[in-house]
Amino acid sequence: LFRLLFQDKDRLLSLYNAVNGTSYASSEELTVVTLENDVAFLVDFQLNLYEHQSTWNPNMPLRDLIYVAKEYQVLTKDQTLYSSSLIRLPTPRFVVFYNGSGMTEESCILRLSDAYQSPEAEPELELKVRVLKIAPEANRELLEACQSLKEYMLFVEQVRKYAAFLELNEAVDRAINKCIQDGILSDFL
């Protein structure tokens, strides 16, 4: 659902602006390069990989390393890697929007080096993933800055509420009806 909602470039630009404190006005400044289950896009010489997680996953840095390597392969396919000229790459940025119960703080950083069996003070390969909690009590400024993210969070909260006593399919149906009635993601749902 997250990927489907944010495949709309205007919503995606709003999310990017909220996360980065920017004020880009034209979604034409985005180039979407979405991967299988995530949202990936280029803007301002940055390769942004956004993902939503409802369960805690400490392997996000490793997954993002694989994703970014694949995307760099695509972006450089017409260039010669063995040239004496430096190939310029968009700067990668990794963000996970998390709405599960396994995180108490509003944000944290996951590092690839946390998975290394022999930790080093300054690992030669590092990848950091910024995890932002999206919940009614967390990151209010972010949620107010991006209405679509806020409404997505509210929809997920409704599904959880109904799933406490209904089968998942029925909980989703009820949450959809309730959100449409309340004007939450109504145009999308």
Side-chain angles (χ1 to χ4, degrees):
L1 183 63
F2 180 84
R3 182 178 49 82
L4 291 173
L5 179 63
F6 289 103
Q7 73 183 8
D8 177 279
K9 288 176 78 173
D10 291 327
R11 285 189 182 110
L12 185 55
L13 182 62
S14 173
L15 181 59
Y16 176 83
N17 283 335
V19 168
N20 295 289
T22 54
S23 55
Y24 287 97
S26 173
S27 60
E28 296 306 312
E29 298 184 58
L30 294 174
T31 302
V32 176
V33 291
T34 296
L35 302 163
E36 298 162 11
N37 296 316
D38 304 311
V39 178
F41 61 99
L42 295 161
V43 66
D44 197 24
F45 306 109
Q46 295 177 349
L47 174 60
N48 297 274
L49 284 89
Y50 287 2
E51 183 170 352
H52 167 257
Q53 290 284 305
S54 58
T55 55
W56 187 250
N57 186 334
N59 298 309
M60 289 305 306
L62 177 57
R63 290 175 51 192
D64 280 344
L65 175 65
I66 293 166
Y67 295 161
V68 78
K70 287 179 183 178
E71 194 55 41
Y72 280 160
Q73 274 188 309
V74 170
L75 292 172
T76 61
K77 71 178 189 255
D78 296 328
Q79 299 181 46
T80 304
L81 295 177
Y82 301 101
S83 167
S84 60
S85 299
L86 182 65
I87 296 173
R88 297 309 227 171
L89 300 172
T91 304
R93 305 217 34 209
F94 309 98
V95 180
V96 170
F97 301 93
Y98 177 73
N99 69 342
S101 59
M103 178 177 164
T104 55
E105 58 275 2
E106 288 195 352
S107 68
C108 70
I109 301 292
L110 297 178
R111 290 175 171 74
L112 181 63
S113 62
D114 291 340
Y116 295 163
Q117 289 212 6
S118 299
E120 296 179 354
E122 292 191 35
E124 292 186 18
L125 177 63
E126 183 65 277
L127 188 145
K128 299 176 189 176
V129 177
R130 185 174 164 199
V131 182
L132 300 172
K133 185 171 184 172
I134 54 170
E137 72 285 350
N139 283 308
R140 289 188 177 136
E141 188 175 313
L142 172 68
L143 294 170
E144 290 304 320
C146 182
Q147 189 65 27
S148 294
L149 183 64
K150 179 180 180 179
E151 291 183 20
Y152 173 77
M153 178 271 304
L154 292 171
F155 171 75
V156 172
E157 291 293 315
Q158 281 294 339
V159 171
R160 280 201 176 114
K161 176 181 149 188
Y162 289 122
F165 60 90
L166 297 171
E167 293 292 322
L168 184 58
N169 287 341
E170 190 176 345
V172 169
D173 287 341
R174 285 238 188 131
I176 288 171
N177 292 330
K178 175 72 171 141
C179 286
I180 290 171
Q181 177 185 352
D182 292 348
I184 298 170
L185 294 181
S186 55
D187 62 326
F188 178 76
L189 296 172

